[in-house]
Amino acid sequence: MVGPDAAPRAYDDRMSSDDTTYTDSLLALGELVAEHGIRVVVSDLDGVLRVFDASLWDELDAMTGTPDGTSFRAVLGHPYLDDVVRGRGTHARWRELAAEQLVGAGSDPAAAREAVDRWAGTPAVVDQRVRTMLLHLRAAGTAVFVLTNGTDRVPEELAALGLEDVVGEDGRFLLNTADLGAAKPDPEAFARAKARIGRVLGEEIPPERIAFLDDSPRHVEAAARCGWHAVLHRASGTERAAPRLP
């Protein structure tokens, strides 16, 4: 067993004790909490607790008559998203700009607007394995927060999914970068998230007592550089993994 004062590091859920077999990221998270004196667990939202069907992008490309990958780049690849997740822009304006980019890529304007509305209105699914794990950890005495590169719509989206049991009825356990003003993987995002955690709990939590779960290798590595223990989460295999920009 590794002692609680072991140096924080990033954990890839593919690695087991013999470095040859796959283990589950949730199991790795549980082991971290048990073996490292973890006081706080911070989970990512999208791709971890909340998942989307990535086949939607193919449908949107067909709707707009654009090449494969065009809709994904117009929405999640739009540079304005960097402002949105830092609280300098709105979800509504992001949708407008995404539709404009689809038109620039050759889509009919009406089809572009319809595609963006289709994307924005498509419901997500809660990964119940992750939800159960987070609630179990909280019930056992570990503080649980959700840190997301989010938008001004995140609170209402989580309410629609019934995730108040995870983020709190008043959202106190939600760390939305649109509110923090800094986004992952920026070190400032982790610093501001840690400060918010301290204010909610009424005490400062040392970084080595925080465990982080995220599906982005860049975010996991950034958290580890900030002194947090971090686990790379991977889809369970029941859903198609969403494509990522470089």
Side-chain angles (χ1 to χ4, degrees):
M1 178 178 292
V2 179
D5 293 323
R9 54 163 289 193
Y11 296 81
D12 187 328
D13 71 322
R14 293 174 301 177
M15 307 303 290
S16 69
S17 58
D18 61 5
D19 289 353
T20 60
T21 59
Y22 282 75
T23 59
D24 186 88
S25 57
L26 299 183
L27 176 60
L29 179 64
E31 291 175 346
L32 264 179
V33 172
E35 298 178 2
H36 290 263
I38 296 300
R39 299 276 310 283
V40 176
V41 165
V42 179
S43 173
D44 181 28
L45 178 60
D46 292 333
V48 180
L49 179 58
R50 177 173 73 169
V51 293
F52 296 89
D53 181 2
S55 64
L56 176 65
W57 299 113
D58 296 335
E59 178 185 333
L60 300 185
D61 287 337
M63 289 175 62
T64 57
T66 54
D68 291 349
T70 300
S71 297
F72 177 79
R73 288 189 294 272
V75 177
L76 295 187
H78 200 288
Y80 183 70
L81 180 56
D82 286 343
D83 289 329
V84 176
V85 298
R86 289 168 173 81
R88 301 192 297 261
T90 66
H91 197 285
R93 180 56 178 157
W94 176 28
R95 298 195 303 273
E96 292 173 354
L97 292 173
E100 290 176 8
Q101 185 161 317
L102 285 171
V103 171
S107 172
D108 173 79
R113 290 191 297 272
E114 181 182 357
V116 172
D117 288 344
R118 172 83 173 87
W119 161 76
T122 299
V125 175
V126 175
D127 188 322
Q128 295 299 341
R129 293 173 65 247
V130 176
R131 181 188 208 161
T132 298
M133 179 64 169
L134 296 178
L135 294 178
H136 170 76
L137 290 170
R138 180 177 288 155
T142 303
V144 172
F145 290 80
V146 173
L147 173 59
T148 178
N149 279 2
T151 75
D152 52 311
R153 278 203 351 177
V154 163
E156 64 185 79
E157 292 170 353
L158 297 188
L161 289 171
L163 282 171
E164 294 96 334
D165 55 351
V166 178
V167 300
E169 292 286 346
D170 57 359
R172 73 175 64 188
F173 303 118
L174 173 62
L175 305 168
N176 185 354
T177 62
D179 297 327
L180 297 176
K184 300 175 290 184
D186 301 346
E188 186 63 22
F190 294 96
R192 295 185 186 186
K194 179 178 172 295
R196 178 74 62 85
I197 290 169
R199 289 195 294 274
V200 171
L201 298 182
E203 62 176 307
E204 183 175 352
I205 305 297
E208 66 271 16
R209 295 294 183 260
I210 301 175
F212 179 61
L213 182 68
D214 199 294
D215 66 325
S216 165
R218 292 175 63 225
H219 297 173
V220 166
E221 292 162 5
R225 286 194 297 270
C226 291
W228 298 15
H229 294 277
V231 177
L232 179 63
H233 183 69
R234 295 179 187 277
S236 64
T238 59
E239 66 278 332
R240 176 180 166 191
R244 284 195 170 274
L245 291 170

